[in-house]
């Protein structure tokens, strides 16, 4: 069902010209665009072919053969019997040393103890193992999308704040220009603010270059044109703090089921095999040896029967084979425990980061309000000649830094929430 939904969404994607902007849309587009998505169909096709080949074990096995031999000796009558037959006018030469045979051998399996059935089950389970590992690789695509997406959001926030800072510096630059004309401010004060504004404009150029590079990378990764990144709503991004079914755990479960299938195949290897056969050949000598001793001619010969075989060689390695499977199961269980342990540590760290950013954000508004008041006071003091322009620029930068930190705290908190969603697969 999952593969069908992915295939349908892949078709719809190529028929659509919409631009994905939300994080969820980018993640879905990236999974559709990632080359590994085509691996699902290849794995499924390979598994089907393998199973089909295994099930052909129920078809009759037909073999043809031809042989010509020259023997050092052949079956013959004793000399006394040949002499007796000669007195009766019968020439009993015996078999010729050169013998020929062209034949067909047909064998049909009737009962194999479940070997074909369990080998087919192993092939299917191996396909499932490959699919779950492919799912793990595709799932990690989300994390790469998260990194680029929230990086783009952060740059967009910095661009907005940079514009606000430019406007604020431009306003003060305009005021200082009037003050210079009125003789209440020095030309150097005006030049200082102008230089600061030009510096901020340079930062804007750098931010736009970073944004262009990041949008190109994200668009190429997702296979669509990502123009805008939509900030996730915090209330929507709430995560239940519990471990979901991560693809890594599904992959381990698939490995354990493969071990179970292999163990059943070991049991089937101990069962006897029953089959029927038919053999026929045209050649010399045939089954009627007495007739062939008298008449040296080719004949048709045939045989049908049933064959029961029981190979107990599997008993020699059965104990070690089962022990190896148990060791593999223990290794997979250790992998599960290790993954859950590390996953739990990641959740603890991510929850702590989210709480830390929430606490920082609680004070951000007040800090910005205070910095804004201080900056306005500095503008007033500069107008009255109480402070110089350097103090004003310092307070403007302090206010901007506070706004940047607030933006960073919010984006980092949202990123932490989505990192936790990735960790728990909720």
């Amino acid at each position: 069902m999952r593969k069908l939904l992915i295939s349908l969404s892949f078709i719809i994607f190529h028929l659509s010209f919409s631009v994905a902007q939300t994080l969820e849309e980018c993640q879905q587009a990236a999974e559709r665009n990632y080359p590994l998505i085509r691996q699902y169909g290849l794995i499924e096709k390979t598994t089907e072919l393998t199973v089909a080949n295994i099930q052909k074990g129920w078809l009759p096995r037909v073999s043809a053969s031809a042989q010509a031999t020259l023997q050092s000796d052949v079956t013959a009558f004793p000399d006394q019997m040949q002499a007796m037959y000669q007195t009766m006018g019968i020439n009993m030469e015996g078999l010729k040393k050169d013998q020929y045979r062209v034949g067909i051998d047909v064998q049909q399996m009737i009962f194999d103890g479940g070997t074909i059935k369990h080998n087919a089950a192993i092939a299917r389970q191996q396909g499932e193992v490959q699919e779950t590992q492919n799912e793990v690789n595709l799932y990690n695509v989300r994390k790469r999308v998260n990194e680029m997406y929230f990086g783009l959001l952060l740059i967009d926030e910095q661009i907005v704040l940079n514009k606000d800072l430019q406007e604020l510096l431009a306003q003060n630059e305009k005021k200082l220009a009037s003050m210079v004309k009125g003789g209440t401010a020095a030309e150097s004060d005006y030049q200082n603010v102008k230089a600061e504004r030009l510096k901020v404009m340079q930062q804007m150029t750098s931010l736009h270059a970073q944004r262009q590079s990041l949008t190109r990378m994200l668009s190429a990764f997702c296979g669509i044109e990502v123009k805008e990144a939509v900030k996730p709503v915090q209330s929507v991004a709430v995560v239940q703090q519990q471990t979901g079914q991560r693809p890594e755990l599904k992959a381990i479960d698939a490995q354990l089921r493969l071990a179970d299938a292999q163990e059943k195949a070991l049991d089937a290897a101990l069962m006897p095999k029953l089959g029927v056969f038919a053999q026929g050949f045209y050649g010399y000598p045939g089954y009627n040896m007495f007739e062939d001793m008298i008449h040296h001619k080719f004949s048709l010969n045939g045989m049908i029967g049933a064959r029961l075989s029981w190979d107990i060689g599997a008993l020699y390695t059965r104990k070690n084979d089962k022990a190896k499977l148990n060791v593999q199961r223990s290794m997979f269980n250790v992998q599960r425990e290790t993954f859950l342990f590390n996953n739990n540590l990641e959740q603890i760290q991510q929850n702590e980061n989210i709480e830390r950013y929430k606490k920082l954000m609680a004070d951000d508004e007040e800090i910005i309000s205070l910095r804004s008041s201080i900056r306005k006071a500095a503008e007033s003091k500069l107008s009255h000649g109480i402070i110089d322009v350097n103090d004003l620029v310092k307070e403007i930068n302090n206010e901007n830094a506070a706004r940047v930190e607030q933006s960073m705290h919010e984006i980092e908190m949202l990123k932490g929430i989505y990192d936790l969603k990735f960790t728990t697969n909720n």
Side-chain angles (χ1 to χ4, degrees), residues 71-235:
Q71 300 179 197
S72 62
D73 205 355
V74 292
T75 304
F77 284 103
D79 293 338
Q80 295 84 350
M81 292 187 67
Q82 289 186 19
M84 182 181 67
Y85 281 121
Q86 286 176 355
T87 59
M88 298 170 61
I90 301 173
N91 185 16
M92 191 66 69
E93 296 181 0
L95 296 176
K96 288 186 176 182
K97 291 185 178 181
D98 55 321
Q99 300 181 3
Y100 308 91
R101 174 178 295 193
V102 177
I104 294 179
D105 187 357
V106 180
Q107 299 184 37
Q108 174 64 58
M109 181 71 69
I110 301 299
F111 175 74
D112 71 340
T115 300
I116 294 177
K117 172 186 174 182
H118 292 303
N119 285 342
I122 289 175
R124 292 190 183 94
Q125 196 56 49
Q126 287 173 336
E128 184 179 348
V129 169
Q130 293 177 345
E131 285 187 357
T132 53
Q133 186 57 53
N134 198 55
E135 187 177 349
V136 171
N137 296 331
L138 276 176
Y139 185 76
N140 289 326
V141 169
R142 299 185 189 181
K143 190 171 185 179
R144 297 173 66 179
V145 173
N146 285 355
E147 295 291 335
M148 289 184 283
Y149 194 88
F150 284 103
L152 182 58
L153 280 176
L154 187 58
I155 289 177
D156 285 343
E157 291 289 333
Q158 291 177 350
I159 288 175
V160 172
L161 293 175
N162 185 282
K163 290 179 180 178
D164 294 340
L165 181 58
Q166 286 187 48
E167 291 178 1
L168 184 59
L169 289 170
Q171 292 173 5
N172 282 279
E173 183 181 343
K174 186 177 181 180
K175 290 179 182 178
L176 284 168
S178 300
M179 293 174 65
V180 169
K181 290 181 180 180
T184 58
E187 181 70 22
S188 60
D189 293 337
Y190 167 77
Q191 294 173 347
N192 193 344
V193 174
K194 183 177 181 179
E196 189 67 23
R197 182 175 60 81
L198 293 175
K199 178 182 176 182
V200 174
M201 290 178 65
Q202 287 181 331
Q203 294 174 356
M204 175 68 85
T205 302
S206 177
L207 287 172
H208 277 299
Q210 293 178 40
R211 188 185 192 282
Q212 183 178 15
S213 175
L214 199 53
T215 52
R216 286 181 177 177
M217 288 177 58
L218 186 57
S219 297
F221 197 79
C222 297
I224 56 176
E225 184 181 2
V226 181
K227 294 182 178 179
E228 297 265 343
V230 180
K231 185 190 299 184
V233 181
Q234 182 178 342
S235 58

Side-chain angles (χ1 to χ4, degrees), residues 23 143 146-147 150-151 153 232 234 237-241 346-358 361 407-426:
L23 178 57
K143 190 171 185 179
N146 285 355
E147 295 291 335
F150 284 103
L153 280 176
Q234 182 178 342
V238 175
V239 182
Q240 295 180 353
Q241 297 180 8
E346 287 182 12
Q347 289 186 53
I348 292 174
Q349 182 178 8
Q350 289 164 353
N351 279 313
E352 290 295 329
N353 287 338
I354 292 171
E355 291 301 319
R356 175 164 60 89
Y357 286 121
K358 284 182 178 180
M361 289 175 62
S407 176
M408 290 180 60
H409 293 161
E410 182 183 7
I411 300 299
E412 289 294 339
M413 187 196 69
L414 289 174
K415 182 178 180 297
I417 290 174
Y418 275 87
D419 285 343
L420 182 59
K421 289 180 70 174
F422 174 84
T423 302
T424 59
N425 194 20
N426 284 320

Side-chain angles (χ1 to χ4, degrees), residues 180-380:
V180 169
K181 290 181 180 180
T184 58
E187 181 70 22
S188 60
D189 293 337
Y190 167 77
Q191 294 173 347
N192 193 344
V193 174
K194 183 177 181 179
E196 189 67 23
R197 182 175 60 81
L198 293 175
K199 178 182 176 182
V200 174
M201 290 178 65
Q202 287 181 331
Q203 294 174 356
M204 175 68 85
T205 302
S206 177
L207 287 172
H208 277 299
Q210 293 178 40
R211 188 185 192 282
Q212 183 178 15
S213 175
L214 199 53
T215 52
R216 286 181 177 177
M217 288 177 58
L218 186 57
S219 297
F221 197 79
C222 297
I224 56 176
E225 184 181 2
V226 181
K227 294 182 178 179
E228 297 265 343
V230 180
K231 185 190 299 184
V233 181
Q234 182 178 342
S235 58
V236 176
V238 175
V239 182
Q240 295 180 353
Q241 297 180 8
Q242 59 182 9
T243 301
Q245 182 71 330
R246 280 282 295 263
E248 291 86 349
L249 298 178
K250 293 181 181 179
I252 293 173
D253 290 338
Q255 293 279 10
L256 290 171
R257 287 193 294 271
L258 175 59
D260 293 338
Q262 291 171 333
E263 185 170 8
K264 291 179 180 178
L266 290 178
D267 296 335
L270 290 176
M271 300 296 291
K273 309 293 188 294
L274 176 63
V276 295
F277 65 91
Q279 296 176 343
F281 72 91
Y282 177 73
Y284 169 84
Y287 290 144
N288 191 340
M289 301 288 288
F290 186 80
E291 180 71 19
D292 290 335
M293 287 181 180
I294 300 175
H295 305 289
H296 297 159
K297 63 180 181 179
F298 284 68
S299 62
L300 288 172
N301 302 269
M303 178 190 300
I304 61 172
R307 181 181 293 116
L308 178 67
S309 62
W310 196 348
D311 184 4
I312 62 173
L315 281 173
Y316 304 151
T317 59
R318 177 180 173 81
K319 182 178 179 181
N320 288 341
D321 290 338
K322 283 207 167 189
K324 285 171 60 178
L325 290 175
N326 288 330
V327 170
Q328 289 179 8
R329 289 190 183 97
S330 298
M331 292 174 61
F332 295 140
N333 286 324
V334 169
Q335 290 179 16
R336 183 200 302 278
E337 292 176 6
T338 303
F339 176 80
L340 291 174
F341 181 82
N342 292 331
N343 187 273
N344 184 58
L345 290 181
E346 287 182 12
Q347 289 186 53
I348 292 174
Q349 182 178 8
Q350 289 164 353
N351 279 313
E352 290 295 329
N353 287 338
I354 292 171
E355 291 301 319
R356 175 164 60 89
Y357 286 121
K358 284 182 178 180
K359 292 178 181 178
L360 291 173
M361 289 175 62
D363 297 327
D364 280 337
E365 283 294 339
E366 185 176 359
I367 293 173
I368 291 174
S369 178
L370 292 173
R371 288 296 180 187
S372 179
S373 299
I374 294 173
R375 185 261 306 166
K376 292 176 182 179
E379 290 175 341
S380 177

